[in-house]
Amino acid sequence: MIRLDNFTVKIGDKVILKNIKFTFEPDRVYCLMGPNGSGKSTFAYALAGHPAYQLEEGSKIYFCEEDITDLSPDKRAKKGMFLSFQTPLSLNGVNAFQLLRLSLGEEADPLSLKKEIEAVAKKLHVKKELLSRSLNEGASGGERKKLEMLQAAVIKPKFVILDEIDTGVDIDALKSIGRFLEEFKKGRTIVLITHYSRILRYINPDKVLVIIDGQIKREGGQELVAEIEDKGYQFYR
Amino acid sequence: MTDNQSLHFDYRYGFSMPEKYVFKTRKGLDSDIVKEISYFKKEPVWMTEFRLKAYQAFKKRPLPSWGADLSGINFDDIYYYIKPTEDQKKTWDELPREIKETYDKIGVPEAEKKFLAGVSAQYESEVVYKSIQKELARQGVIFVDMDTAVRDYPKIVKEYFGTVVSPHDNKFASLNSAVWSGGSFVYVPTGVKVSLPLQAYFRINAKNFGQFERTLIIAEEGSYVHYIEGCTAPIYTSDSLHAAVVEIIVKKGARVRYTTVQNWSKNVYNLVTKRAKVEEEAVMEWVDCNIGSRVTMKYPSCILAGRKARGEVLSIAYASENQLQDAGAKMIHLAPETSSRIISKSIAGRGGRTSYRGLVYVSPRAEFSFSYVSCDALILDERSRSDTYPTMKIETWKTFIQHEATVERLGEEKLFYLQSRGIKKAEAEGLLVNGFIEPVTKEIPLEYSIELNRLINLEMSGSVG
């Protein structure tokens, strides 16, 4: 699905991710774990194409074997990439419907889109008034994350990065998100970025990656989670 | 206007023209031209005198020393009066083809079919097309062009004309008072609520042509009316001047809303004096959206003259390359328990400049008054500029005044967020800008807000290429 080659990312002069080589397979759930400052969010932003993150020459990103290294964020999204933000910003005067309508473009029928949004909102327990309001405005942490999921559900991407979907979320919201992901993951590649194992109660990763100091230090199955819980990230340095 | 050109000749005072001829004053302004205009319109003596006095005031008054640079206006190079067709046409079919095409482009007939209560469309300096539905007449509502009003309703016009905006108010109000032509006259009798908005369309399209329309709205006690003016102008090359005056009298317990969606072409000096006198427990709302023009100086005002009077100004200004939008509002609190609210949203891009200029005055008598001012500026790039000039003159302690101002850049992070949803950068910018002005656009009728959003997207698309 996504193949990274020599993936080296800088902000200004500072190198954050070093020479990552990795392939994300289709129809798999990955869990990217690591301590604060290890480069987890950089990983998410750089993949999505944030302009502040520069790739070192020779770094390559392939989407289904197509080189997307130089594509703008919107073009990457059109290929099927989706980033759920750690702290989704509130957008004054822009509601979920307006955003999604532009996102899907002309082919989307406004009426069926509206119905679809409402149906997904119901599934995720998103309050109806949040849909007509400016996106994320006055929304709690959990509501914001659920609205991210709502967008993913409507856009239907193939490759989904969830940056700390479990941060700032109460237990009920986390349950709704977990239940949603259980169904949503089918046929997609999901990358869960987290530093807690909390979310893993609701969704089972096929593979766990430990990222420390900008490098993938360890790969393994679910058993790795228990090891991290037990020994802490220190162990992998 | 080929007919217009071939028929045009310099008109001399006293010379009587055959009825069907088209009339145009020579360029420039002197008291003879003022007299000619009045003579040609067959106005009563009091109006001729009013015009002449105003002309004297205009001559004496220097250009404003503050605000925009107006030195580019050449008062001698302007036609102050052009009459495009002889009579006012009652039906659409009777209109000249060229004028019809112009209106087709801005969608007048469709709009009328939908929900217009009456159309009073201004073509060049005169209202040429007008239709009033029977319902309005039945309610006793008068909605005619100002020239007709002077002729048919002299008593009421004479009572109110020039009482809210004096011909000595400012240079451009003086000029308008001297040479005004067209505009609307609206009279709403006591207790009558006009359920559909009254609409007028304006369009300038003669070279070197100034438009000086004059609007007077009188809302009697407990009445309600919403008046909408939508202005678009085609592009032409030499400088043009638009100096309008709008006077509104809102009597006890009445409510008037005046909505403007204006898109002058980029060489127009748009210098408009809009003022309302708001009496006891009455409400005046100005919704003012300005795109286009070279310079706009416009500060819709409310004189809150009666106890519990309320005034509101919601405005949007968009300035692009070589444009200055100097817009704002004035709230004059003269009576106790009066309240006002000003919400101003401005956007500057491609080196454009916006200024908010506002005045809140609370007189010693206006105890327990309340005023809220919020002005937000959005700047799209480094070349653009925004300034805020708020003035607060408060002469009583027993009042509550609030002022908020923000300036922001179009946020990179928000753009990235939208782009990560597959939205192109230019579209994302448009979405954010339209979101920024949404608190105001939601107050204007849907068809206008859609048009406004489109215009802004159009402007924006130029900025990103």
Side-chain angles (χ1 to χ4, degrees):
Chain A
M1 175 62 50
I2 290 267
R3 186 160 66 83
L4 302 175
D5 200 13
N6 266 327
F7 192 57
T8 301
V9 181
K10 295 191 301 186
I11 303 177
D13 290 335
K14 202 177 167 210
V15 178
I16 313 283
L17 296 175
K18 291 160 207 155
N19 218 355
I20 292 177
K21 234 184 157 71
F22 193 80
T23 302
F24 293 95
E25 305 290 346
D27 204 10
R28 288 275 186 284
V29 176
Y30 295 85
C31 183
L32 187 63
M33 297 184 80
N36 283 331
S38 56
K40 297 192 303 291
S41 282
T42 299
F43 187 84
Y45 277 124
L47 267 185
H50 192 293
Y53 298 81
Q54 299 110 39
L55 300 193
E56 192 98 307
E57 211 159 309
S59 296
K60 290 284 175 203
I61 309 168
Y62 297 93
F63 194 102
C64 300
E65 285 314 306
E66 184 191 346
D67 185 352
I68 61 159
T69 316
D70 297 323
L71 290 191
S72 59
D74 51 304
K75 287 193 178 128
R76 294 184 195 197
K78 283 284 178 213
K79 297 268 172 217
M81 191 187 283
F82 183 92
L83 169 60
S84 164
F85 284 65
Q86 191 182 124
T87 42
L89 298 163
S90 62
L91 299 175
N92 295 340
V94 180
N95 64 30
F97 176 74
Q98 289 167 312
L99 184 152
L100 287 167
R101 212 176 151 199
L102 259 190
S103 171
L104 297 180
E106 295 294 326
E107 69 267 26
D109 168 51
L111 208 67
S112 42
L113 174 62
K114 190 167 176 281
K115 278 187 187 147
E116 188 184 354
I117 292 172
E118 281 166 359
V120 179
K122 212 171 163 190
K123 225 187 269 174
L124 279 163
H125 304 284
V126 172
K127 279 182 263 163
K128 231 181 165 178
E129 69 250 34
L130 284 180
L131 298 178
S132 50
R133 219 189 274 167
S134 297
L135 188 68
N136 295 326
E137 206 167 67
S140 69
E143 284 168 335
R144 283 174 194 234
K145 295 293 170 69
K146 287 202 277 187
L147 286 165
E148 296 286 286
M149 291 301 92
L150 180 136
Q151 293 172 56
V154 174
I155 295 172
K156 301 180 186 64
K158 295 179 201 140
F159 182 82
V160 184
I161 312 158
L162 305 173
D163 191 6
E164 302 202 9
I165 192 77
D166 49 354
T167 305
V169 175
D170 64 31
I171 192 73
D172 292 336
L174 196 61
K175 268 186 185 165
S176 304
I177 291 169
R179 236 176 272 136
F180 166 79
L181 284 175
E182 201 48 47
E183 192 188 319
F184 184 68
K185 70 177 188 183
K186 284 169 198 149
R188 300 175 211 278
T189 305
I190 309 271
V191 181
L192 280 167
I193 297 179
T194 184
H195 42 200
Y196 305 113
S197 57
R198 209 157 70 115
I199 182 78
L200 304 178
R201 270 180 241 154
Y202 304 97
I203 180 165
N204 292 323
D206 299 297
K207 202 157 202 182
V208 177
L209 309 174
V210 180
I211 184 167
I212 308 243
D213 297 334
Q215 287 174 305
I216 296 174
K217 287 281 169 76
R218 185 82 193 262
E219 288 179 47
Q222 276 189 62
E223 71 286 348
L224 211 53
V225 178
E227 191 184 285
I228 294 164
E229 292 274 285
D230 189 34
K231 298 183 173 160
Y233 291 118
Q234 272 305 331
F235 178 74
Y236 304 96
R237 281 186 198 271
Chain B
M1 298 290 287
T2 47
D3 289 350
N4 213 354
Q5 242 109 64
S6 61
L7 293 172
H8 163 250
F9 57 94
D10 275 350
Y11 176 75
R12 277 178 297 274
Y13 188 62
F15 182 86
S16 95
M17 273 207 296
E19 280 293 309
K20 63 179 190 180
Y21 276 60
V22 165
F23 172 77
K24 191 174 186 174
T25 55
R26 64 176 189 276
K27 275 186 182 177
L29 191 59
D30 55 34
S31 48
D32 280 349
I33 287 178
V34 173
K35 279 185 220 159
E36 279 175 34
I37 294 170
S38 192
Y39 174 84
F40 193 84
K41 290 170 176 286
K42 304 186 183 83
E43 285 177 348
V45 178
W46 72 266
M47 184 56 83
T48 313
E49 283 171 356
F50 178 92
R51 286 179 183 274
L52 286 167
K53 266 187 219 154
Y55 172 66
Q56 292 306 323
F58 164 74
K59 261 205 323 195
K60 275 186 220 138
R61 197 85 176 229
L63 284 170
S65 56
W66 48 274
D69 175 14
L70 302 176
S71 59
I73 304 173
N74 183 356
F75 290 104
D76 297 328
D77 199 31
I78 293 170
Y79 290 106
Y80 287 88
Y81 180 63
I82 298 174
K83 190 176 171 64
T85 56
E86 186 45 45
D87 291 311
Q88 296 209 16
K89 304 294 180 189
K90 289 282 189 298
T91 70
W92 186 254
D93 291 339
E94 292 169 47
L95 282 174
R97 188 177 53 87
E98 218 241 29
I99 295 178
K100 256 199 285 203
E101 281 171 5
T102 301
Y103 283 121
D104 274 338
K105 282 184 200 144
I106 49 177
V108 174
E110 287 87 313
E112 190 189 11
K113 271 177 220 148
K114 270 190 258 159
F115 71 92
L116 287 195
V119 168
S120 165
Q122 183 160 358
Y123 186 80
E124 292 172 358
S125 65
E126 194 117 7
V127 173
V128 291
Y129 171 66
K130 174 196 60 166
S131 76
I132 298 174
Q133 288 182 354
K134 283 174 190 151
E135 182 61 16
L136 281 180
R138 196 186 60 76
Q139 289 181 308
V141 175
I142 303 166
F143 178 32
V144 293
D145 68 277
M146 203 61 227
D147 295 279
T148 304
V150 171
R151 199 172 58 233
D152 295 352
Y153 308 96
K155 200 166 158 264
I156 188 161
V157 172
K158 198 179 171 188
E159 187 182 344
Y160 294 102
F161 197 94
T163 59
V164 184
V165 178
S166 136
H168 303 279
D169 191 86
N170 64 73
K171 189 170 182 73
F172 295 95
S174 303
L175 179 62
N176 175 281
S177 300
V179 301
W180 71 266
S181 202
S184 297
F185 174 76
V186 178
Y187 176 82
V188 189
T190 304
V192 171
K193 297 196 162 47
V194 183
S195 52
L196 298 168
L198 303 177
Q199 311 200 16
Y201 290 77
F202 296 81
R203 192 174 178 92
I204 304 180
N205 70 356
K207 213 176 166 192
N208 289 324
F209 182 68
Q211 185 150 335
F212 308 97
E213 87 274 10
R214 181 99 190 184
T215 289
L216 175 61
I217 298 175
I218 299 147
E220 290 286 0
E221 290 190 8
S223 65
Y224 168 75
V225 67
H226 182 187
Y227 181 87
I228 301 176
E229 57 172 356
C231 313
T232 54
I235 289 168
Y236 51 101
T237 49
S238 72
D239 288 341
S240 194
L241 174 62
H242 175 243
V245 167
V246 178
E247 297 181 283
I248 300 179
I249 293 113
V250 198
K251 298 246 179 116
K252 186 177 174 182
R255 180 174 161 216
V256 174
R257 172 173 280 213
Y258 191 106
T259 299
T260 304
V261 177
Q262 166 242 299
N263 179 30
W264 297 115
S265 70
K266 295 195 173 153
N267 54 353
V268 172
Y269 287 88
N270 182 37
L271 311 163
V272 176
T273 308
K274 286 179 163 174
R275 196 172 301 156
K277 184 176 174 225
V278 193
E279 296 181 359
E280 192 174 331
E281 292 180 356
V283 179
M284 176 66 215
E285 298 156 312
W286 297 102
V287 183
D288 211 67
C289 309
N290 302 292
I291 307 181
S293 83
R294 171 167 167 180
V295 167
T296 288
M297 289 175 77
K298 185 157 49 159
Y299 322 97
S301 313
C302 295
I303 298 167
L304 304 169
R307 197 182 58 85
K308 286 194 172 171
R310 190 154 71 85
E312 195 158 304
V313 174
L314 305 176
S315 70
I316 295 171
Y318 185 104
S320 186
E321 213 170 358
N322 299 321
Q323 289 182 290
L324 169 59
Q325 295 278 2
D326 196 294
K330 288 194 258 185
M331 292 294 177
I332 314 293
H333 293 253
L334 298 179
E337 297 175 72
T338 46
S339 60
S340 64
R341 190 165 75 122
I342 299 169
I343 298 193
S344 156
K345 298 267 181 185
S346 71
I347 302 146
R350 303 179 80 189
R353 199 179 151 188
T354 59
S355 301
Y356 167 80
R357 196 182 299 275
L359 168 69
V360 174
Y361 169 69
V362 181
S363 79
R365 278 197 64 231
E367 293 184 333
F368 311 108
S369 287
F370 173 90
S371 179
Y372 173 78
V373 180
S374 155
C375 41
D376 301 324
L378 184 64
I379 300 177
L380 302 182
D381 52 48
E382 283 90 2
R383 293 187 298 142
S384 306
R385 172 175 165 182
S386 178
D387 302 275
T388 305
Y389 307 98
T391 306
M392 304 253 164
K393 235 178 115 187
I394 315 299
E395 295 180 350
T396 172
W397 284 109
K398 295 176 187 166
T399 184
F400 187 79
I401 309 292
Q402 211 179 334
H403 177 93
E404 290 172 9
T406 66
V407 181
E408 58 178 300
R409 280 287 304 273
L410 198 60
E412 279 287 308
E413 294 305 317
K414 286 181 183 176
L415 282 176
F416 174 65
Y417 184 88
L418 290 170
Q419 277 185 281
S420 78
R421 281 6 178 189
I423 298 169
K424 289 194 195 92
K425 195 173 180 193
E427 287 178 343
E429 286 175 332
L431 192 64
L432 290 174
V433 169
N434 284 324
F436 171 75
I437 57 173
E438 191 260 358
V440 178
T441 50
K442 73 179 183 202
E443 297 294 329
I444 63 181
L446 188 65
E447 65 212 63
Y448 284 91
S449 63
I450 289 171
E451 189 184 332
L452 192 70
N453 284 358
R454 274 202 205 118
L455 282 170
I456 286 177
N457 284 341
L458 210 65
E459 290 283 333
M460 302 268 313
S461 65
S463 69
V464 280

